[in-house]
Amino acid sequence: MLRIRRVLKEKKLLNLIARSSRTRWMSSGTEVMSFGDGSHGALGLPTSLIGHGMDAYEPTPVTGLPSDITSVSAGHYHSLAVTSRGQLWAWGRNHEVQLGRGLLSPRDTWSEPKRVEGLDQVQVTAAFASGVVSAAIGDDGSLWVWGKSKRGQLGLGKGITEASVPSKVEALEGEKIAKVSFGWGHTLAQTVDGKLFGWGYLADGRLGKMGGLVEESPLDSSMNVVKHEEITQSTVEVAERLVLEGMEKEKDMPIVWDPCSVEELKGVEVVDIACGLDHSLVLCRDGTLLSSGSNVYGQLGRANHDMGFSPVDISFPASAIASGLGHSLAICQAKTPEGKGDATSIVSWGWNQSSQLGRPGPENVPMEVEGLAGETAILVSGGRVHSIAVTSKGEVWVWGCGRNGRLGLGSSCDEAEPIMLDSLEGCEVLQAVSGFDHNLILIAQ
């Protein structure tokens, strides 16, 4: 009974916060800014501003969007934005119809933000994107998906690999979905009451021990060839080639076509999820962080290499998680040196070829990003090989690969440690998210 009261109290508080936030956004307005790789149109910037398919090296306002955007999502090469009125807007790559406007839409308009078609009867509250699939959650907790994926990511049933218009995931009827996260070939979804569902590729146990099928992925077996070599440009090229070859072989791996409950976590209350290329992170209500899937880059962050979900080796409870292509990030609660109250720190582990971990030291061991010591991180996001965080002061910090301006610092230089994005100084930053090579920032006007 006490637990029920606590949950109801938390939900009531969250609803009050959400209503307050929506009221403030509707009265003052918001603006979306973008920067990074513009080759796929994911920046949503006018050709007259940066040139067709050009990169943006500093945060630049996305024109053509309503002034009541409440949240944004960055797919690998496309972007989504939700309004306070429940509308969904999209722009960027559309080769897999992930923009929800059909393939007949003129290609030269893909970079222009437009409303997603087919959701007129859905009050969208959140949206999430991968490389080839987009998803929206309705105010009734329903899940809608569209795009193309031969890997079962749509969750619409056996053999269904394409949805040109938003389609309801009927297998989750009766569940209230809170969040969805996409990997390269797998999907996780958590419900409002903390249940976890998964579908798509299940190799390496990235969906847990679902169906008892936890065979090794060709990605892992291929990458073991270069796993322990000194990283040079040549070995990076070999690694990238082997990844592509492994991905091709993965097309023959077993697929879970319909959303299924992750049985090994039954009875565990899930509060956050994050999928990398081929690994998964799950945050539990008690602060325990679990990982599963490929561990080629040390992205599982644990000495226990058993397949399926096992605890990450972190000393302090986590409050938020994120995943890049092959690296993992968590905001953790940690005692201050003086022992006065709690402080947050960002912990990172996994692939660090472009300094996306933001700190030196063993890559497979979760360690604090010391360059953010003293800052209170509230949001963190990972791209292909870069990372971005927002602090309680509303400041944005970036680190990792700077190619194509993806750090927003006006250059292509990599940054081994977090650097504050001073061009946003004075802005009230509400959200910052990373796609593969681009970023979206939501600010209050």
Side-chain angles (χ1 to χ4, degrees):
M1 180 63 71
L2 287 174
R3 182 177 178 278
I4 293 174
R5 287 175 180 171
R6 176 175 60 81
V7 171
L8 290 174
K9 186 176 180 181
E10 288 177 355
K11 287 182 178 178
K12 185 177 180 180
L13 178 60
L14 288 172
N15 287 334
L16 286 172
I17 293 173
R19 284 200 296 269
S20 174
S21 297
R22 281 196 295 268
T23 300
R24 177 166 59 85
W25 284 334
M26 289 176 71
S27 61
S28 60
T30 55
E31 183 175 48
V32 178
M33 306 184 84
S34 66
F35 57 93
D37 187 341
S39 60
H40 295 273
L43 300 182
L45 303 178
T47 299
S48 58
L49 196 62
I50 60 170
H52 184 68
M54 297 295 287
D55 305 329
Y57 285 78
E58 293 184 348
T60 308
V62 178
T63 59
L65 282 172
S67 61
D68 64 333
I69 300 298
T70 58
S71 67
V72 289
S73 176
H76 296 177
Y77 306 114
H78 71 292
S79 304
L80 303 173
V82 181
T83 73
S84 63
R85 292 167 290 170
Q87 300 174 351
L88 181 61
W89 292 64
W91 62 95
R93 180 184 169 99
N94 195 45
H95 292 291
E96 294 79 23
V97 295
Q98 58 266 62
L99 297 187
R101 61 178 80 167
L103 279 173
L104 296 180
S105 174
R107 188 167 180 175
D108 60 0
T109 66
W110 290 357
S111 62
E112 299 175 13
K114 292 184 182 295
R115 279 192 65 181
V116 172
E117 300 170 1
L119 288 172
D120 294 342
Q121 305 304 312
V122 180
Q123 186 79 10
V124 177
T125 59
F128 306 92
S130 71
V132 295
V133 173
S134 297
I137 296 175
D139 61 355
D140 59 351
S142 59
L143 177 62
W144 300 75
V145 295
W146 59 100
K148 294 181 182 180
S149 175
K150 296 179 180 179
R151 303 179 286 278
Q153 277 184 298
L154 292 171
L156 295 174
K158 187 170 183 179
I160 298 179
T161 60
E162 178 178 348
S164 57
V165 296
S167 303
K168 188 176 182 179
V169 180
E170 299 292 349
L172 291 172
E173 181 72 32
E175 302 289 348
K176 290 185 179 297
I177 303 301
K179 183 178 181 180
V180 179
S181 185
F182 295 98
W184 176 76
H186 70 294
T187 307
L188 291 179
Q190 72 177 77
T191 65
V192 171
D193 56 358
K195 289 183 285 189
L196 183 66
F197 291 85
W199 60 95
Y201 275 154
L202 44 66
D204 312 312
R206 66 190 77 175
L207 295 179
K209 298 176 182 178
M210 193 173 287
L213 296 173
V214 289
E215 60 187 281
E216 186 179 59
S217 160
L219 280 173
D220 263 10
S221 56
S222 297
M223 284 303 296
N224 281 331
V225 176
V226 296
K227 185 176 180 180
H228 300 294
E229 291 186 21
E230 181 182 352
I231 296 296
T232 64
Q233 186 58 40
S234 61
T235 57
V236 169
E237 291 173 355
V238 170
E240 289 178 345
R241 177 175 56 80
L242 289 173
V243 165
L244 291 174
E245 291 175 356
M247 288 169 70
E248 189 65 29
K249 292 177 183 177
E250 271 205 336
K251 291 180 179 179
D252 298 322
M253 297 295 287
I255 294 174
V256 175
W257 290 96
D258 290 295
C260 293
S261 173
V262 179
E263 292 295 323
E264 65 188 284
L265 295 186
K266 230 171 185 180
V268 175
E269 188 176 357
V270 174
V271 295
D272 201 3
I273 52 177
C275 293
L277 177 78
D278 49 10
H279 77 287
S280 306
L281 301 176
V282 171
L283 180 59
C284 306
R285 170 65 67 185
D286 64 1
T288 301
L289 178 55
L290 307 174
S291 64
S292 67
S294 171
N295 199 36
V296 161
Y297 303 111
Q299 63 265 51
L300 297 188
R302 50 184 167 90
N304 173 9
H305 292 163
D306 291 345
M307 288 190 180
F309 285 103
S310 290
V312 173
D313 298 330
I314 294 182
S315 302
F316 300 104
S319 57
I321 54 177
S323 180
L325 180 73
H327 70 292
S328 303
L329 301 156
I331 298 177
C332 294
Q333 299 294 322
K335 289 290 184 182
T336 61
E338 299 79 14
K340 297 178 181 178
D342 293 329
T344 65
S345 62
I346 290 182
V347 176
S348 64
W349 63 96
W351 192 25
N352 198 34
Q353 189 261 328
S354 295
S355 300
Q356 58 265 45
L357 297 187
R359 48 82 176 173
E363 298 175 0
N364 63 328
V365 178
M367 294 179 64
E368 182 181 355
V369 180
E370 294 183 356
L372 287 172
E375 301 292 340
T376 301
I378 58 174
L379 295 171
V380 66
S381 184
R384 186 202 302 259
V385 282
H386 76 285
S387 304
I388 187 169
V390 180
T391 69
S392 59
K393 300 174 187 174
E395 297 171 344
V396 177
W397 294 71
V398 293
W399 62 94
C401 180
R403 188 183 306 169
N404 307 109
R406 68 190 74 176
L407 295 184
L409 296 171
S411 74
S412 294
C413 297
D414 293 355
E415 295 293 345
E417 296 181 349
I419 299 290
M420 190 180 80
L421 201 52
D422 56 12
S423 61
L424 291 174
E425 195 169 3
C427 295
E428 184 182 355
V429 177
L430 304 172
Q431 189 185 7
V433 294
S434 297
F436 255 14
D437 307 317
H438 78 289
N439 309 271
L440 300 175
I441 306 288
L442 180 64
I443 63 173
Q445 290 183 312

